Amino acid sequence: MKTKGELEDQISRALTQWEKEYLGRGPLSVKTDILRNMVIVQLRGILTPAEKVLCETKEGMLSIKRIRSDLIESGSEQLKQMIYTLTGKQVTSMHTDISTKTGERMIVFLLQEPIDIQG
């Protein structure tokens, strides 16, 4: 049986690999936390240099947020399946947002039931 830390690390690694394969590049760092029925993932360093320049204007920032949101949404079934495979729990919903100021993305997966795992 996996510990909570081991499972969090596996999720972080799997999400990094998914980002590299699906989006063409991975984040600089990923941190996953499991809390009750939530898997909370923080991805740092996800914006490209060109996206950072675009984010200097409001129009550019909104464009980047929309495009990045659409990209994640288009791969959401893969992400939900990945979480199910690793945790054994169905994902009931997925929520995500990106900060164009810090270059971070947060993804929260709400699971059908809590993960019963040792700390």
Side-chain angles (χ1 to χ4, degrees):
M1 184 159 162
K2 297 178 237 185
T3 67
K4 180 176 177 273
E6 289 169 337
L7 181 56
E8 289 168 340
D9 184 57
Q10 284 183 332
I11 292 169
S12 291
R13 289 176 191 269
L15 249 166
T16 298
Q17 187 63 35
W18 180 85
E19 286 244 337
K20 285 179 180 176
E21 291 173 6
Y22 193 74
L23 300 176
R25 75 186 284 273
L28 294 179
S29 68
V30 179
K31 174 76 173 104
T32 299
D33 291 294
I34 297 171
L35 179 64
R36 297 184 306 272
N37 69 325
M38 294 178 283
V39 176
I40 304 161
V41 186
Q42 178 185 24
L43 302 99
R44 290 191 171 132
I46 62 162
L47 294 177
T48 67
E51 288 173 325
K52 289 177 186 175
V53 172
L54 275 176
C55 288
E56 292 174 4
T57 67
K58 183 173 181 169
E59 187 178 300
M61 178 202 60
L62 293 172
S63 176
I64 294 301
K65 285 179 84 75
R66 186 178 59 252
I67 290 167
R68 285 295 188 129
S69 177
D70 290 348
L71 286 170
I72 293 297
E73 189 60 36
S74 71
S76 65
E77 289 308 313
Q78 290 175 349
L79 290 170
K80 291 175 184 177
Q81 182 60 44
M82 179 186 71
I83 296 297
Y84 173 73
T85 299
L86 291 169
T87 66
K89 307 293 180 186
Q90 289 290 338
V91 175
T92 57
S93 63
M94 182 180 101
H95 308 270
T96 185
D97 195 17
I98 184 172
S99 169
T100 54
K101 288 189 186 341
T102 63
E104 294 175 308
R105 173 187 297 125
M106 297 296 297
I107 304 174
V108 178
F109 298 93
L110 294 179
L111 307 178
Q112 203 166 36
E113 57 190 18
I115 297 174
D116 185 26
I117 197 160
Q118 300 299 315

